[in-house]
Amino acid sequence: MSATASQHYDIAIVGAGPVGSLCALAHARNGARVALLEANPKGSGRLAGEWLHPSAARVLRDIGIDADQRPRSKPGKGFVVFPEDGSEPILLPYPDGSRGLVCDHALLVSSLRDAAGNAAGVDFVPYARVKAVDDERVFFSANGAERSLVAGRIVGADGRASIVRRSLGLSTEPMLCSRMLGVTIRGAKLPFESYGHVVLGGPGPIFVYGLADGCIRVIVDIPPDLWKSKGRNGFLSESFARFLPGGLERVFIEALQAGQFQMAANQLRPRITYGSPRRVLIGDAAGHYHPMTAVGMTLGFGDAVALAGTTDFRDFVAERFRASRVPELLAIGLYEVFADRRTEAAALRFAIYRGWRTNPTYRNRTTRILACEDLSVTGMSLAICRTVAWAVAGEISQSFRPFSLRRARTVCHALAIRLWWLLRGVRQLQKARRGEGKEHERTRDILARTFPHSMSSGASGSHPPHRSTRCKSGI
Ligand SMILES: Cc1cc2nc3c(=O)[nH]c(=O)nc-3n(C[C@H](O)[C@H](O)[C@H](O)COP(=O)(O)OP(=O)(O)OC[C@H]3O[C@@H](n4cnc5c(N)ncnc54)[C@H](O)[C@@H]3O)c2cc1C
């Protein structure tokens, strides 16, 4: 079917990526008339999200998508972390034996699009590039013709460079965190079947997971200052390959040399708004983070289902801020702690490893936060306080060794500053409970300063200087 100017829809969704397609399906199940517009159907073959936490896997099952029954998909049992000192890997299974899902991105998107396109009430228009949006009309080109349609609500599920976001006067200027290279290896096995392997020690973290029997994906995170196209294979082989577990080093280098890889840029845009009641932003259009904690699609699916489940935009906004705050902070914070090469970040990392190894409550809390199931900011703040306290205690105990006092003093000072920003952020959060926009931006900014790198957007008031340039604006 085709969407035309004469047709009026309840909902027009710009972008049939994973989140837009699920949003179309969820609205159609509630009886809405939906137009789903997609500019570039083949774009889903790019390197993008493949790991879904259990809550997102449940959303798919509940809506009738059986992605787990298809080839190139596997259950995800949780994570296993390989510390940089070569010590024993640390297993972080999902709580209560729940299962996530790992699925080839293109396959996941095509399953969702097919289901949306076949659903009663949905008009899916492929190759429809939206060019402008106002409060009730969407202007797009399709098959060489300029067209428009009218809708009661327009949903921007059009990703990081969202045109719906821009139509609201909001920035889509990219803030580059790092780049990623995804290598596909066939005929190899992982040491921990169905676990996501997080490997530390190289210039950036490595994430490895199985996609199908004998097929694994190695995702290498490359900091922007180390990115180069000339001599890249040599650099990757030397700097990353030796940290790979289970004899993957050789097959990784071979796959790299055979050109079996794709590249992607990682960007950061914290959620500060969901748009307006007539032009709603969801998924990556609302916000996006470094993918190491794999929350992009889980949060996006949550947006889609919540939007279809309520008519009150304010309720939707309140629910989504509540659901996204902790996963967002974890995505920003954990990546920064894992990628940062400074001494205080290393002290935090070793405190985290120690906590995971020795304290089951701490370990369970981490996996619940990772899985987007523990949404308590207080709980997360306590976990961070505890980590900082362990790191400080570790430094103090080492300071009695010769020449270690100075280092301990520097590290403890840096950690005390983080703690101070955390406490300020949590206090600000109490004020911003239902707020949006500036209040939220300020809270988020203060809390982000808890972590080593902080974000590059400036908050008013005095604050410690940013010592990193990892997130570069405008690249
Ligand atoms: C390397 C990498 C690894 C990742 N790994 C994970 C992971 O393991 N788990 C996870 O949850 N997340 C991961 N993510 C993030 C995840 O890919 C995104 O969160 C997810 O794709 C967002 O879905 P979306 O539908 O909001 O946006 P997108 O996937 O960007 O889809 C937007 C759609 O809108 C279309 N579009 C854009 N502009 C227009 C227009 N003007 N008109 C019409 N259509 C338009 C696009 O063609 C596209 O199909 C990863 C990201 C990267 C880069």
Side-chain angles (χ1 to χ4, degrees), residues 350-385:
F350 280 92
I352 292 172
Y353 302 151
R354 208 163 37 243
W356 283 341
R357 286 190 206 279
T358 59
N359 190 317
T361 313
Y362 182 81
R363 191 171 56 235
N364 287 344
R365 167 150 277 153
T366 309
T367 48
R368 291 182 60 77
I369 293 175
L370 255 176
C372 305
E373 283 170 16
D374 184 339
L375 304 177
S376 158
V377 174
T378 314
M380 186 176 170
S381 309
L382 288 175
I384 297 173
C385 288

PDB file of all heavy atoms in Angstrom, residues 350-385:
ATOM      1  N   PHE A 350      40.012  -1.969  39.011  1.00  0.00           N
ATOM      2  CA  PHE A 350      40.420  -3.090  39.871  1.00  0.00           C
ATOM      3  C   PHE A 350      39.493  -3.224  41.079  1.00  0.00           C
ATOM      4  O   PHE A 350      39.238  -4.339  41.544  1.00  0.00           O
ATOM      5  CB  PHE A 350      41.898  -2.974  40.248  1.00  0.00           C
ATOM      6  CG  PHE A 350      42.770  -3.461  39.130  1.00  0.00           C
ATOM      7  CD1 PHE A 350      43.250  -2.590  38.163  1.00  0.00           C
ATOM      8  CD2 PHE A 350      43.046  -4.817  38.988  1.00  0.00           C
ATOM      9  CE1 PHE A 350      44.012  -3.053  37.092  1.00  0.00           C
ATOM     10  CE2 PHE A 350      43.808  -5.291  37.919  1.00  0.00           C
ATOM     11  CZ  PHE A 350      44.292  -4.402  36.970  1.00  0.00           C
ATOM     12  N   ALA A 351      38.936  -2.091  41.529  1.00  0.00           N
ATOM     13  CA  ALA A 351      37.948  -2.169  42.614  1.00  0.00           C
ATOM     14  C   ALA A 351      36.683  -2.875  42.110  1.00  0.00           C
ATOM     15  O   ALA A 351      36.078  -3.688  42.818  1.00  0.00           O
ATOM     16  CB  ALA A 351      37.621  -0.768  43.113  1.00  0.00           C
ATOM     17  N   ILE A 352      36.298  -2.577  40.871  1.00  0.00           N
ATOM     18  CA  ILE A 352      35.110  -3.238  40.290  1.00  0.00           C
ATOM     19  C   ILE A 352      35.357  -4.748  40.168  1.00  0.00           C
ATOM     20  O   ILE A 352      34.515  -5.565  40.564  1.00  0.00           O
ATOM     21  CB  ILE A 352      34.769  -2.619  38.907  1.00  0.00           C
ATOM     22  CG1 ILE A 352      34.290  -1.178  39.073  1.00  0.00           C
ATOM     23  CG2 ILE A 352      33.711  -3.443  38.189  1.00  0.00           C
ATOM     24  CD1 ILE A 352      34.099  -0.413  37.758  1.00  0.00           C
ATOM     25  N   TYR A 353      36.522  -5.120  39.641  1.00  0.00           N
ATOM     26  CA  TYR A 353      36.815  -6.562  39.513  1.00  0.00           C
ATOM     27  C   TYR A 353      36.722  -7.238  40.885  1.00  0.00           C
ATOM     28  O   TYR A 353      36.147  -8.320  41.024  1.00  0.00           O
ATOM     29  CB  TYR A 353      38.234  -6.817  38.977  1.00  0.00           C
ATOM     30  CG  TYR A 353      38.562  -6.198  37.633  1.00  0.00           C
ATOM     31  CD1 TYR A 353      39.868  -5.826  37.324  1.00  0.00           C
ATOM     32  CD2 TYR A 353      37.579  -6.005  36.673  1.00  0.00           C
ATOM     33  CE1 TYR A 353      40.190  -5.264  36.095  1.00  0.00           C
ATOM     34  CE2 TYR A 353      37.894  -5.426  35.449  1.00  0.00           C
ATOM     35  CZ  TYR A 353      39.197  -5.057  35.167  1.00  0.00           C
ATOM     36  OH  TYR A 353      39.524  -4.493  33.967  1.00  0.00           O
ATOM     37  N   ARG A 354      37.326  -6.556  41.882  1.00  0.00           N
ATOM     38  CA  ARG A 354      37.338  -7.153  43.222  1.00  0.00           C
ATOM     39  C   ARG A 354      35.900  -7.323  43.727  1.00  0.00           C
ATOM     40  O   ARG A 354      35.531  -8.355  44.271  1.00  0.00           O
ATOM     41  CB  ARG A 354      38.141  -6.240  44.169  1.00  0.00           C
ATOM     42  CG  ARG A 354      38.787  -6.971  45.298  1.00  0.00           C
ATOM     43  CD  ARG A 354      39.902  -6.233  46.015  1.00  0.00           C
ATOM     44  NE  ARG A 354      39.701  -4.793  46.175  1.00  0.00           N
ATOM     45  CZ  ARG A 354      40.492  -3.876  45.626  1.00  0.00           C
ATOM     46  NH1 ARG A 354      41.505  -4.231  44.870  1.00  0.00           N
ATOM     47  NH2 ARG A 354      40.284  -2.600  45.841  1.00  0.00           N
ATOM     48  N   GLY A 355      35.087  -6.303  43.514  1.00  0.00           N
ATOM     49  CA  GLY A 355      33.683  -6.356  43.944  1.00  0.00           C
ATOM     50  C   GLY A 355      32.944  -7.503  43.262  1.00  0.00           C
ATOM     51  O   GLY A 355      32.211  -8.259  43.899  1.00  0.00           O
ATOM     52  N   TRP A 356      33.145  -7.638  41.959  1.00  0.00           N
ATOM     53  CA  TRP A 356      32.458  -8.713  41.229  1.00  0.00           C
ATOM     54  C   TRP A 356      32.892 -10.091  41.724  1.00  0.00           C
ATOM     55  O   TRP A 356      32.101 -11.019  41.793  1.00  0.00           O
ATOM     56  CB  TRP A 356      32.777  -8.602  39.732  1.00  0.00           C
ATOM     57  CG  TRP A 356      32.001  -7.511  39.040  1.00  0.00           C
ATOM     58  CD1 TRP A 356      30.860  -6.899  39.481  1.00  0.00           C
ATOM     59  CD2 TRP A 356      32.325  -6.908  37.785  1.00  0.00           C
ATOM     60  NE1 TRP A 356      30.464  -5.953  38.573  1.00  0.00           N
ATOM     61  CE2 TRP A 356      31.337  -5.939  37.520  1.00  0.00           C
ATOM     62  CE3 TRP A 356      33.343  -7.087  36.850  1.00  0.00           C
ATOM     63  CZ2 TRP A 356      31.338  -5.151  36.367  1.00  0.00           C
ATOM     64  CZ3 TRP A 356      33.342  -6.314  35.698  1.00  0.00           C
ATOM     65  CH2 TRP A 356      32.346  -5.361  35.456  1.00  0.00           C
ATOM     66  N   ARG A 357      34.183 -10.192  42.050  1.00  0.00           N
ATOM     67  CA  ARG A 357      34.685 -11.511  42.465  1.00  0.00           C
ATOM     68  C   ARG A 357      34.232 -11.883  43.871  1.00  0.00           C
ATOM     69  O   ARG A 357      33.966 -13.048  44.142  1.00  0.00           O
ATOM     70  CB  ARG A 357      36.220 -11.505  42.468  1.00  0.00           C
ATOM     71  CG  ARG A 357      36.854 -11.532  41.096  1.00  0.00           C
ATOM     72  CD  ARG A 357      38.353 -11.762  41.241  1.00  0.00           C
ATOM     73  NE  ARG A 357      39.128 -11.242  40.134  1.00  0.00           N
ATOM     74  CZ  ARG A 357      39.285 -11.860  38.970  1.00  0.00           C
ATOM     75  NH1 ARG A 357      38.680 -13.012  38.771  1.00  0.00           N
ATOM     76  NH2 ARG A 357      40.007 -11.327  38.021  1.00  0.00           N
ATOM     77  N   THR A 358      34.148 -10.896  44.756  1.00  0.00           N
ATOM     78  CA  THR A 358      33.983 -11.244  46.171  1.00  0.00           C
ATOM     79  C   THR A 358      32.603 -10.925  46.745  1.00  0.00           C
ATOM     80  O   THR A 358      32.282 -11.398  47.827  1.00  0.00           O
ATOM     81  CB  THR A 358      35.012 -10.477  47.029  1.00  0.00           C
ATOM     82  OG1 THR A 358      34.809  -9.078  46.817  1.00  0.00           O
ATOM     83  CG2 THR A 358      36.440 -10.847  46.663  1.00  0.00           C
ATOM     84  N   ASN A 359      31.813 -10.110  46.051  1.00  0.00           N
ATOM     85  CA  ASN A 359      30.585  -9.633  46.661  1.00  0.00           C
ATOM     86  C   ASN A 359      29.374  -9.948  45.754  1.00  0.00           C
ATOM     87  O   ASN A 359      29.093  -9.213  44.799  1.00  0.00           O
ATOM     88  CB  ASN A 359      30.721  -8.118  46.883  1.00  0.00           C
ATOM     89  CG  ASN A 359      29.605  -7.577  47.733  1.00  0.00           C
ATOM     90  OD1 ASN A 359      28.455  -7.928  47.546  1.00  0.00           O
ATOM     91  ND2 ASN A 359      29.957  -6.714  48.669  1.00  0.00           N
ATOM     92  N   PRO A 360      28.640 -11.028  46.060  1.00  0.00           N
ATOM     93  CA  PRO A 360      27.528 -11.427  45.188  1.00  0.00           C
ATOM     94  C   PRO A 360      26.455 -10.342  45.040  1.00  0.00           C
ATOM     95  O   PRO A 360      25.864 -10.195  43.972  1.00  0.00           O
ATOM     96  CB  PRO A 360      26.945 -12.666  45.888  1.00  0.00           C
ATOM     97  CG  PRO A 360      28.002 -13.133  46.826  1.00  0.00           C
ATOM     98  CD  PRO A 360      28.848 -11.956  47.170  1.00  0.00           C
ATOM     99  N   THR A 361      26.222  -9.559  46.115  1.00  0.00           N
ATOM    100  CA  THR A 361      25.198  -8.509  46.022  1.00  0.00           C
ATOM    101  C   THR A 361      25.613  -7.459  44.997  1.00  0.00           C
ATOM    102  O   THR A 361      24.811  -7.023  44.156  1.00  0.00           O
ATOM    103  CB  THR A 361      25.018  -7.816  47.400  1.00  0.00           C
ATOM    104  OG1 THR A 361      24.929  -8.829  48.379  1.00  0.00           O
ATOM    105  CG2 THR A 361      23.814  -6.930  47.440  1.00  0.00           C
ATOM    106  N   TYR A 362      26.875  -7.083  45.054  1.00  0.00           N
ATOM    107  CA  TYR A 362      27.420  -6.087  44.115  1.00  0.00           C
ATOM    108  C   TYR A 362      27.355  -6.631  42.683  1.00  0.00           C
ATOM    109  O   TYR A 362      26.960  -5.937  41.753  1.00  0.00           O
ATOM    110  CB  TYR A 362      28.850  -5.793  44.547  1.00  0.00           C
ATOM    111  CG  TYR A 362      29.594  -4.761  43.736  1.00  0.00           C
ATOM    112  CD1 TYR A 362      29.421  -3.398  43.955  1.00  0.00           C
ATOM    113  CD2 TYR A 362      30.514  -5.155  42.752  1.00  0.00           C
ATOM    114  CE1 TYR A 362      30.136  -2.456  43.225  1.00  0.00           C
ATOM    115  CE2 TYR A 362      31.230  -4.221  42.021  1.00  0.00           C
ATOM    116  CZ  TYR A 362      31.043  -2.879  42.267  1.00  0.00           C
ATOM    117  OH  TYR A 362      31.754  -1.957  41.545  1.00  0.00           O
ATOM    118  N   ARG A 363      27.723  -7.909  42.534  1.00  0.00           N
ATOM    119  CA  ARG A 363      27.713  -8.523  41.201  1.00  0.00           C
ATOM    120  C   ARG A 363      26.288  -8.567  40.642  1.00  0.00           C
ATOM    121  O   ARG A 363      26.042  -8.199  39.497  1.00  0.00           O
ATOM    122  CB  ARG A 363      28.291  -9.946  41.307  1.00  0.00           C
ATOM    123  CG  ARG A 363      28.566 -10.574  39.965  1.00  0.00           C
ATOM    124  CD  ARG A 363      29.333 -11.869  40.103  1.00  0.00           C
ATOM    125  NE  ARG A 363      28.672 -12.826  40.971  1.00  0.00           N
ATOM    126  CZ  ARG A 363      29.227 -13.400  42.029  1.00  0.00           C
ATOM    127  NH1 ARG A 363      30.469 -13.129  42.352  1.00  0.00           N
ATOM    128  NH2 ARG A 363      28.558 -14.255  42.764  1.00  0.00           N
ATOM    129  N   ASN A 364      25.327  -8.987  41.508  1.00  0.00           N
ATOM    130  CA  ASN A 364      23.935  -9.068  41.035  1.00  0.00           C
ATOM    131  C   ASN A 364      23.392  -7.701  40.679  1.00  0.00           C
ATOM    132  O   ASN A 364      22.665  -7.541  39.702  1.00  0.00           O
ATOM    133  CB  ASN A 364      23.038  -9.691  42.109  1.00  0.00           C
ATOM    134  CG  ASN A 364      23.299 -11.166  42.208  1.00  0.00           C
ATOM    135  OD1 ASN A 364      23.908 -11.744  41.298  1.00  0.00           O
ATOM    136  ND2 ASN A 364      22.885 -11.783  43.302  1.00  0.00           N
ATOM    137  N   ARG A 365      23.750  -6.703  41.514  1.00  0.00           N
ATOM    138  CA  ARG A 365      23.265  -5.354  41.214  1.00  0.00           C
ATOM    139  C   ARG A 365      23.791  -4.907  39.847  1.00  0.00           C
ATOM    140  O   ARG A 365      23.050  -4.348  39.034  1.00  0.00           O
ATOM    141  CB  ARG A 365      23.695  -4.375  42.309  1.00  0.00           C
ATOM    142  CG  ARG A 365      23.512  -2.940  41.920  1.00  0.00           C
ATOM    143  CD  ARG A 365      23.227  -2.018  43.075  1.00  0.00           C
ATOM    144  NE  ARG A 365      21.832  -2.023  43.451  1.00  0.00           N
ATOM    145  CZ  ARG A 365      21.393  -1.743  44.669  1.00  0.00           C
ATOM    146  NH1 ARG A 365      22.227  -1.464  45.621  1.00  0.00           N
ATOM    147  NH2 ARG A 365      20.099  -1.751  44.925  1.00  0.00           N
ATOM    148  N   THR A 366      25.082  -5.193  39.574  1.00  0.00           N
ATOM    149  CA  THR A 366      25.655  -4.786  38.275  1.00  0.00           C
ATOM    150  C   THR A 366      24.875  -5.417  37.126  1.00  0.00           C
ATOM    151  O   THR A 366      24.532  -4.737  36.161  1.00  0.00           O
ATOM    152  CB  THR A 366      27.139  -5.226  38.162  1.00  0.00           C
ATOM    153  OG1 THR A 366      27.832  -4.795  39.319  1.00  0.00           O
ATOM    154  CG2 THR A 366      27.796  -4.649  36.935  1.00  0.00           C
ATOM    155  N   THR A 367      24.590  -6.714  37.232  1.00  0.00           N
ATOM    156  CA  THR A 367      23.917  -7.367  36.097  1.00  0.00           C
ATOM    157  C   THR A 367      22.473  -6.878  35.967  1.00  0.00           C
ATOM    158  O   THR A 367      21.960  -6.734  34.868  1.00  0.00           O
ATOM    159  CB  THR A 367      23.942  -8.907  36.207  1.00  0.00           C
ATOM    160  OG1 THR A 367      23.524  -9.278  37.513  1.00  0.00           O
ATOM    161  CG2 THR A 367      25.306  -9.460  35.924  1.00  0.00           C
ATOM    162  N   ARG A 368      21.843  -6.571  37.096  1.00  0.00           N
ATOM    163  CA  ARG A 368      20.467  -6.048  37.020  1.00  0.00           C
ATOM    164  C   ARG A 368      20.466  -4.649  36.401  1.00  0.00           C
ATOM    165  O   ARG A 368      19.571  -4.302  35.636  1.00  0.00           O
ATOM    166  CB  ARG A 368      19.821  -6.025  38.411  1.00  0.00           C
ATOM    167  CG  ARG A 368      19.540  -7.443  38.955  1.00  0.00           C
ATOM    168  CD  ARG A 368      18.856  -7.370  40.305  1.00  0.00           C
ATOM    169  NE  ARG A 368      17.589  -6.658  40.214  1.00  0.00           N
ATOM    170  CZ  ARG A 368      16.475  -7.180  39.726  1.00  0.00           C
ATOM    171  NH1 ARG A 368      16.469  -8.433  39.324  1.00  0.00           N
ATOM    172  NH2 ARG A 368      15.385  -6.484  39.655  1.00  0.00           N
ATOM    173  N   ILE A 369      21.475  -3.853  36.739  1.00  0.00           N
ATOM    174  CA  ILE A 369      21.555  -2.511  36.139  1.00  0.00           C
ATOM    175  C   ILE A 369      21.858  -2.648  34.644  1.00  0.00           C
ATOM    176  O   ILE A 369      21.231  -2.002  33.807  1.00  0.00           O
ATOM    177  CB  ILE A 369      22.648  -1.653  36.837  1.00  0.00           C
ATOM    178  CG1 ILE A 369      22.242  -1.343  38.286  1.00  0.00           C
ATOM    179  CG2 ILE A 369      22.870  -0.346  36.093  1.00  0.00           C
ATOM    180  CD1 ILE A 369      23.304  -0.598  39.096  1.00  0.00           C
ATOM    181  N   LEU A 370      22.814  -3.540  34.323  1.00  0.00           N
ATOM    182  CA  LEU A 370      23.170  -3.768  32.914  1.00  0.00           C
ATOM    183  C   LEU A 370      21.962  -4.200  32.090  1.00  0.00           C
ATOM    184  O   LEU A 370      21.786  -3.772  30.957  1.00  0.00           O
ATOM    185  CB  LEU A 370      24.197  -4.898  32.846  1.00  0.00           C
ATOM    186  CG  LEU A 370      25.646  -4.549  32.569  1.00  0.00           C
ATOM    187  CD1 LEU A 370      26.481  -5.815  32.653  1.00  0.00           C
ATOM    188  CD2 LEU A 370      25.821  -3.882  31.230  1.00  0.00           C
ATOM    189  N   ALA A 371      21.143  -5.048  32.685  1.00  0.00           N
ATOM    190  CA  ALA A 371      19.983  -5.591  31.967  1.00  0.00           C
ATOM    191  C   ALA A 371      18.812  -4.605  31.958  1.00  0.00           C
ATOM    192  O   ALA A 371      17.726  -4.952  31.504  1.00  0.00           O
ATOM    193  CB  ALA A 371      19.557  -6.910  32.614  1.00  0.00           C
ATOM    194  N   CYS A 372      19.029  -3.399  32.468  1.00  0.00           N
ATOM    195  CA  CYS A 372      17.991  -2.350  32.544  1.00  0.00           C
ATOM    196  C   CYS A 372      16.845  -2.799  33.449  1.00  0.00           C
ATOM    197  O   CYS A 372      15.677  -2.455  33.212  1.00  0.00           O
ATOM    198  CB  CYS A 372      17.446  -1.973  31.175  1.00  0.00           C
ATOM    199  SG  CYS A 372      18.689  -1.475  29.995  1.00  0.00           S
ATOM    200  N   GLU A 373      17.142  -3.604  34.484  1.00  0.00           N
ATOM    201  CA  GLU A 373      16.081  -4.071  35.375  1.00  0.00           C
ATOM    202  C   GLU A 373      16.140  -3.404  36.738  1.00  0.00           C
ATOM    203  O   GLU A 373      15.159  -3.417  37.468  1.00  0.00           O
ATOM    204  CB  GLU A 373      16.176  -5.598  35.524  1.00  0.00           C
ATOM    205  CG  GLU A 373      15.621  -6.287  34.294  1.00  0.00           C
ATOM    206  CD  GLU A 373      15.894  -7.765  34.237  1.00  0.00           C
ATOM    207  OE1 GLU A 373      16.253  -8.341  35.290  1.00  0.00           O
ATOM    208  OE2 GLU A 373      15.743  -8.334  33.147  1.00  0.00           O
ATOM    209  N   ASP A 374      17.274  -2.854  37.119  1.00  0.00           N
ATOM    210  CA  ASP A 374      17.381  -2.109  38.372  1.00  0.00           C
ATOM    211  C   ASP A 374      17.509  -0.636  37.991  1.00  0.00           C
ATOM    212  O   ASP A 374      18.531  -0.203  37.462  1.00  0.00           O
ATOM    213  CB  ASP A 374      18.620  -2.573  39.149  1.00  0.00           C
ATOM    214  CG  ASP A 374      18.731  -1.885  40.512  1.00  0.00           C
ATOM    215  OD1 ASP A 374      18.122  -0.810  40.682  1.00  0.00           O
ATOM    216  OD2 ASP A 374      19.425  -2.422  41.395  1.00  0.00           O
ATOM    217  N   LEU A 375      16.442   0.130  38.234  1.00  0.00           N
ATOM    218  CA  LEU A 375      16.404   1.513  37.746  1.00  0.00           C
ATOM    219  C   LEU A 375      16.593   2.520  38.872  1.00  0.00           C
ATOM    220  O   LEU A 375      16.321   3.717  38.703  1.00  0.00           O
ATOM    221  CB  LEU A 375      15.065   1.769  37.035  1.00  0.00           C
ATOM    222  CG  LEU A 375      14.755   0.808  35.886  1.00  0.00           C
ATOM    223  CD1 LEU A 375      13.382   1.086  35.300  1.00  0.00           C
ATOM    224  CD2 LEU A 375      15.817   0.903  34.797  1.00  0.00           C
ATOM    225  N   SER A 376      17.055   2.045  40.033  1.00  0.00           N
ATOM    226  CA  SER A 376      17.178   2.941  41.175  1.00  0.00           C
ATOM    227  C   SER A 376      18.480   3.750  41.107  1.00  0.00           C
ATOM    228  O   SER A 376      19.578   3.192  41.143  1.00  0.00           O
ATOM    229  CB  SER A 376      17.145   2.106  42.465  1.00  0.00           C
ATOM    230  OG  SER A 376      17.746   2.814  43.508  1.00  0.00           O
ATOM    231  N   VAL A 377      18.308   5.082  41.026  1.00  0.00           N
ATOM    232  CA  VAL A 377      19.501   5.945  40.990  1.00  0.00           C
ATOM    233  C   VAL A 377      20.229   5.858  42.327  1.00  0.00           C
ATOM    234  O   VAL A 377      21.464   5.847  42.381  1.00  0.00           O
ATOM    235  CB  VAL A 377      19.099   7.405  40.676  1.00  0.00           C
ATOM    236  CG1 VAL A 377      20.309   8.331  40.770  1.00  0.00           C
ATOM    237  CG2 VAL A 377      18.510   7.496  39.288  1.00  0.00           C
ATOM    238  N   THR A 378      19.450   5.766  43.416  1.00  0.00           N
ATOM    239  CA  THR A 378      20.081   5.660  44.737  1.00  0.00           C
ATOM    240  C   THR A 378      20.916   4.387  44.802  1.00  0.00           C
ATOM    241  O   THR A 378      22.060   4.398  45.268  1.00  0.00           O
ATOM    242  CB  THR A 378      19.003   5.638  45.836  1.00  0.00           C
ATOM    243  OG1 THR A 378      18.078   6.670  45.546  1.00  0.00           O
ATOM    244  CG2 THR A 378      19.589   5.831  47.206  1.00  0.00           C
ATOM    245  N   GLY A 379      20.348   3.276  44.322  1.00  0.00           N
ATOM    246  CA  GLY A 379      21.070   2.005  44.341  1.00  0.00           C
ATOM    247  C   GLY A 379      22.356   2.092  43.531  1.00  0.00           C
ATOM    248  O   GLY A 379      23.414   1.626  43.969  1.00  0.00           O
ATOM    249  N   MET A 380      22.255   2.731  42.375  1.00  0.00           N
ATOM    250  CA  MET A 380      23.444   2.835  41.544  1.00  0.00           C
ATOM    251  C   MET A 380      24.479   3.749  42.215  1.00  0.00           C
ATOM    252  O   MET A 380      25.679   3.463  42.185  1.00  0.00           O
ATOM    253  CB  MET A 380      23.102   3.381  40.171  1.00  0.00           C
ATOM    254  CG  MET A 380      24.318   3.353  39.277  1.00  0.00           C
ATOM    255  SD  MET A 380      23.960   3.871  37.634  1.00  0.00           S
ATOM    256  CE  MET A 380      25.587   4.017  36.963  1.00  0.00           C
ATOM    257  N   SER A 381      23.986   4.830  42.832  1.00  0.00           N
ATOM    258  CA  SER A 381      24.914   5.752  43.504  1.00  0.00           C
ATOM    259  C   SER A 381      25.638   5.030  44.631  1.00  0.00           C
ATOM    260  O   SER A 381      26.848   5.208  44.827  1.00  0.00           O
ATOM    261  CB  SER A 381      24.168   6.947  44.079  1.00  0.00           C
ATOM    262  OG  SER A 381      23.364   7.505  43.084  1.00  0.00           O
ATOM    263  N   LEU A 382      24.898   4.193  45.378  1.00  0.00           N
ATOM    264  CA  LEU A 382      25.531   3.449  46.470  1.00  0.00           C
ATOM    265  C   LEU A 382      26.606   2.509  45.927  1.00  0.00           C
ATOM    266  O   LEU A 382      27.695   2.385  46.496  1.00  0.00           O
ATOM    267  CB  LEU A 382      24.487   2.659  47.262  1.00  0.00           C
ATOM    268  CG  LEU A 382      23.567   3.502  48.146  1.00  0.00           C
ATOM    269  CD1 LEU A 382      22.498   2.635  48.790  1.00  0.00           C
ATOM    270  CD2 LEU A 382      24.370   4.242  49.223  1.00  0.00           C
ATOM    271  N   ALA A 383      26.272   1.862  44.785  1.00  0.00           N
ATOM    272  CA  ALA A 383      27.265   0.949  44.180  1.00  0.00           C
ATOM    273  C   ALA A 383      28.508   1.731  43.762  1.00  0.00           C
ATOM    274  O   ALA A 383      29.638   1.256  43.944  1.00  0.00           O
ATOM    275  CB  ALA A 383      26.647   0.228  42.978  1.00  0.00           C
ATOM    276  N   ILE A 384      28.306   2.940  43.236  1.00  0.00           N
ATOM    277  CA  ILE A 384      29.472   3.738  42.826  1.00  0.00           C
ATOM    278  C   ILE A 384      30.270   4.164  44.064  1.00  0.00           C
ATOM    279  O   ILE A 384      31.507   4.080  44.079  1.00  0.00           O
ATOM    280  CB  ILE A 384      29.043   4.976  42.001  1.00  0.00           C
ATOM    281  CG1 ILE A 384      28.374   4.543  40.702  1.00  0.00           C
ATOM    282  CG2 ILE A 384      30.257   5.854  41.677  1.00  0.00           C
ATOM    283  CD1 ILE A 384      27.776   5.673  39.894  1.00  0.00           C
ATOM    284  N   CYS A 385      29.545   4.609  45.109  1.00  0.00           N
ATOM    285  CA  CYS A 385      30.239   5.024  46.349  1.00  0.00           C
ATOM    286  C   CYS A 385      31.096   3.870  46.878  1.00  0.00           C
ATOM    287  O   CYS A 385      32.239   4.047  47.294  1.00  0.00           O
ATOM    288  CB  CYS A 385      29.238   5.420  47.427  1.00  0.00           C
ATOM    289  SG  CYS A 385      28.433   6.977  47.100  1.00  0.00           S
TER     290      CYS A 385
END
